[in-house]
Amino acid sequence: MKKQIFLFSFFACLSFFGSRAQVYYNDAFRYTYRPMPTGSARTLALGGAQGAMGSDAASLAVNPAGIGLFRRAEVAVGLDYGNSLIQSSYLDTDETANRDKIGLSHASAIFAAPQSSAGQTIQFGISYVRTHDFRQDSYYQASNPYSSLADVWTEEAAGIHAKVFESEAANNKIYDLASLAYATFVINPYADDSTQYYTEFRDVNNQLVAPILQEERIKESGSRSVFNITAGGQIQEKIYWGATVGIEVINYERENTYKERLSRTAADGELQAFTLRQRYTATGGGLYLGMGIIVRPIEPLRIGAAIQTPTGFSLYETSTASIESESVGFSKVSASIIPYEYDFRYRSPWRASGSLFWQIKKYGFITADVEWIPYRQMAVSGSDNNFDESGERRAIRENFRNSIQARVGAEARIGSWYVRTGVCYTPSPLRKEAAYYDAMAFTGGIGYRLQGFQLSISGVFARYASLYQPYVSQQYFSPTVERTQQYMQWQVSTHWYF
């Protein structure tokens, strides 16, 4: 699979249908792209616009200066329920898969010191926020009259003598999918040239003997979360400042089950069907620093700015794959590759944000954020000399663009009740095919506050389109799955004040 065929290979990031080599800029994008706002139920309901609002511990990951607006100690926790729905269209056949999910979205504790005689205060806080939720399922299926995944493996095996594959299978040391396909009789060498291969899904004229029934189910799990240790304060209620150390953790897992079956009964002794199962995991963490400031030039207005350094992640990945094949008149045959383990590093881009907050007396407020995300600054590197770092860097620069996420929210106060709404717009980070991954999230919620307690409930709806390509063939038809991804999330947050 060539890296230069970006649109297709990039959106095939969920699949390992190529050789053992991994395309790591796909992982960098997965861990960076964030179309949903994050935070507490209050900040979610405001579209994630929280940079100049302050007084919410979940917002400290956006602008740590917000800690300067706390006047009392606080403990907060939030739980959420979400549903992801992916509609897939593949060769004029539509399928839908959805996934329910529930979990801890944020937790925090803020310690506020009394104001000094000079009008200054110092606050300290610790917080946890889940910034990315990878949990989702997708499914597609259709009859393909043009090509098979087995075609790709014949191309990848070309030039390798069959004796190499024979030796790997005999010693149970299979390293890649082409060798695995050979060991399970999905591909076979020509009798007159043992370095060229064919699949029995094609006849002597190199045409498919019948359409191929294809289907794939993909299950993803995991999250990217941040633990912040933040300190800050204020001067004369005019300048608020803060700094934070962020500890980020990535935990990602994917399981693919891909099946092909000939749409008619194969000839005696020939291939009828095969199933490819794959599992991939990546775990690791890193550190970043964040700094922010909020100024109040006039009583109702706050202006905020914040910057966050890149996070340098150290990640450990594992992958496994197996194939089970069926041939008419024979027992099923199965084999597995040697589990693959590798250490690599991922550097997230810088993030810089500017924000406004306007208090409308005691009736509510409006708030807005813009956040700069320079995707072209993403970087990946490997733990050995075989890693193509320059190629990865070139692919990132050629195929991504820097982006600005915009968030706007408003809150109205009615006695002890609060009504909130907002919107979050995430433009596509792709230089080409910008219609894909161009996301819009609509938010809303309510809150109720007593003397030492606040309860908030929020809802978020987000939607965007993407492409996914099961495989890329150099000679035959390469199919594409068009996907519409929808996310709904409900969150309940409680805040206790002391």
Side-chain angles (χ1 to χ4, degrees):
M1 187 180 298
K2 292 184 177 180
K3 292 181 182 177
Q4 298 305 318
I5 311 177
F6 169 72
L7 177 61
F8 298 122
S9 63
F10 172 76
F11 291 105
C13 64
L14 302 181
S15 175
F16 277 19
F17 291 154
S19 65
R20 185 174 60 178
Q22 166 72 332
V23 181
Y24 285 91
Y25 64 85
N26 294 333
D27 299 282
F29 173 74
R30 180 195 303 117
Y31 303 139
T32 302
Y33 180 70
R34 187 172 66 195
M36 297 274 285
T38 63
S40 67
R42 182 191 186 197
T43 56
L44 284 180
L46 296 169
Q50 53 195 298
M53 182 180 70
S55 300
D56 193 298
S59 70
L60 302 183
V62 176
N63 187 348
I67 198 171
L69 282 97
F70 281 90
R71 292 297 170 264
R72 292 188 291 174
E74 174 187 318
V75 174
V77 65
L79 299 175
D80 66 358
Y81 162 79
N83 175 269
S84 67
L85 184 147
I86 300 180
Q87 298 173 318
S88 300
S89 179
Y90 182 60
L91 298 174
D92 298 322
T93 302
D94 296 330
E95 296 289 347
T96 300
N98 67 78
R99 174 93 166 267
D100 295 321
K101 42 197 178 180
I102 188 169
L104 177 68
S105 59
H106 73 93
S108 61
I110 301 296
F111 309 93
Q115 182 167 297
S116 69
S117 58
Q120 301 179 9
T121 60
I122 299 293
Q123 287 83 20
F124 172 78
I126 55 176
S127 62
Y128 160 84
V129 178
R130 189 186 66 236
T131 59
H132 295 69
D133 191 338
F134 301 126
R135 293 174 293 179
Q136 62 180 21
D137 291 350
S138 62
Y139 174 77
Y140 67 88
Q141 65 84 27
S143 177
N144 186 342
Y146 310 109
S147 65
S148 162
L149 173 57
D151 294 326
V152 176
W153 292 330
T154 63
E155 294 170 349
E156 292 177 350
I160 303 174
H161 201 283
K163 289 182 179 180
V164 175
F165 294 144
E166 291 281 1
S167 175
E168 291 181 350
N171 293 293
N172 198 27
K173 293 184 177 180
I174 300 173
Y175 295 99
D176 56 43
L177 296 183
S179 181
L180 188 60
Y182 180 91
T184 51
F185 304 100
V186 176
I187 64 173
N188 300 284
Y190 284 102
D192 58 348
D193 187 351
S194 295
T195 64
Q196 299 297 318
Y197 299 83
Y198 68 94
T199 172
E200 291 173 345
F201 282 165
R202 292 192 177 273
D203 59 24
V204 294
N205 297 316
N206 209 27
Q207 301 296 315
L208 289 181
V209 298
I212 307 297
L213 303 177
Q214 300 175 326
E215 65 174 293
E216 184 179 18
R217 189 173 298 277
I218 305 169
K219 182 177 182 179
E220 297 176 84
S221 302
S223 64
R224 175 177 170 178
S225 303
V226 58
F227 299 84
N228 285 103
I229 303 172
T230 307
Q234 60 87 20
I235 303 173
Q236 299 293 330
E237 299 291 351
K238 293 293 185 181
I239 300 175
Y240 307 85
W241 59 273
T244 189
V245 176
I247 304 170
E248 293 202 79
V249 177
I250 288 176
N251 178 30
Y252 177 74
E253 179 178 336
R254 180 180 65 249
E255 295 181 357
N256 298 55
T257 302
Y258 177 90
K259 299 180 180 181
E260 286 195 359
R261 176 174 290 274
L262 199 62
S263 59
R264 65 162 175 79
T265 301
D268 190 44
E270 293 189 343
L271 181 66
Q272 181 70 56
F274 69 85
T275 299
L276 169 66
R277 293 183 174 87
Q278 299 169 288
R279 183 173 183 269
Y280 171 82
T281 66
T283 57
L287 297 173
Y288 75 85
L289 300 177
M291 296 175 289
I293 188 170
I294 298 172
V295 297
R296 192 200 301 261
I298 56 176
E299 183 62 27
L301 175 65
R302 298 179 207 154
I303 303 172
I307 190 168
Q308 183 183 114
T309 67
T311 302
F313 286 93
S314 178
L315 295 168
Y316 169 74
E317 67 173 1
T318 65
S319 63
T320 60
S322 65
I323 292 179
E324 181 181 81
S325 66
E326 305 174 35
S327 296
V328 176
F330 291 89
S331 300
K332 293 182 179 180
V333 177
S334 62
S336 302
I337 66 171
I338 292 178
Y340 179 59
E341 302 176 356
Y342 193 69
D343 294 312
F344 73 99
R345 291 173 293 277
Y346 152 60
R347 188 187 71 202
S348 67
W350 286 82
R351 287 180 180 267
S353 63
S355 50
L356 296 173
F357 177 93
W358 185 270
Q359 183 78 42
I360 306 173
K361 298 183 178 180
K362 295 183 178 181
Y363 303 112
F365 61 80
I366 57 174
T367 182
D369 292 358
V370 290
E371 185 173 34
W372 180 58
I373 310 169
Y375 284 88
R376 298 182 69 188
Q377 291 183 4
M378 296 185 301
V380 287
S381 59
S383 57
D384 57 42
N385 294 329
N386 295 323
F387 191 93
D388 186 11
E389 187 172 345
S390 61
E392 298 283 347
R393 188 185 309 113
R394 182 171 57 253
I396 289 172
R397 292 177 178 174
E398 290 177 353
N399 297 298
F400 291 97
R401 63 183 179 183
N402 299 333
S403 177
I404 294 180
Q405 185 182 74
R407 305 183 290 262
V408 179
E411 177 182 281
R413 181 178 180 181
I414 307 172
S416 297
W417 291 89
Y418 301 84
V419 180
R420 303 160 181 143
T421 188
V423 63
C424 174
Y425 173 58
T426 306
S428 173
L430 306 181
R431 295 185 65 184
K432 302 177 182 178
E433 302 295 336
Y436 298 101
Y437 285 94
D438 191 73
M440 184 75 76
F442 299 95
T443 67
I446 58 174
Y448 181 75
R449 183 164 182 167
L450 297 175
Q451 183 66 26
F453 174 78
Q454 180 177 185
L455 175 70
S456 295
I457 301 174
S458 67
V460 180
F461 174 79
R463 178 187 177 101
Y464 62 89
S466 65
L467 293 180
Y468 169 72
Q469 194 156 34
Y471 54 87
V472 175
S473 171
Q474 306 302 313
Q475 181 179 355
Y476 303 102
F477 171 71
S478 298
T480 300
V481 183
E482 295 188 13
R483 306 194 301 190
T484 300
Q485 301 180 233
Q486 299 181 22
Y487 296 91
M488 292 192 66
Q489 177 182 334
W490 297 95
Q491 182 175 147
V492 177
S493 294
T494 57
H495 300 252
W496 290 270
Y497 307 100
F498 305 95

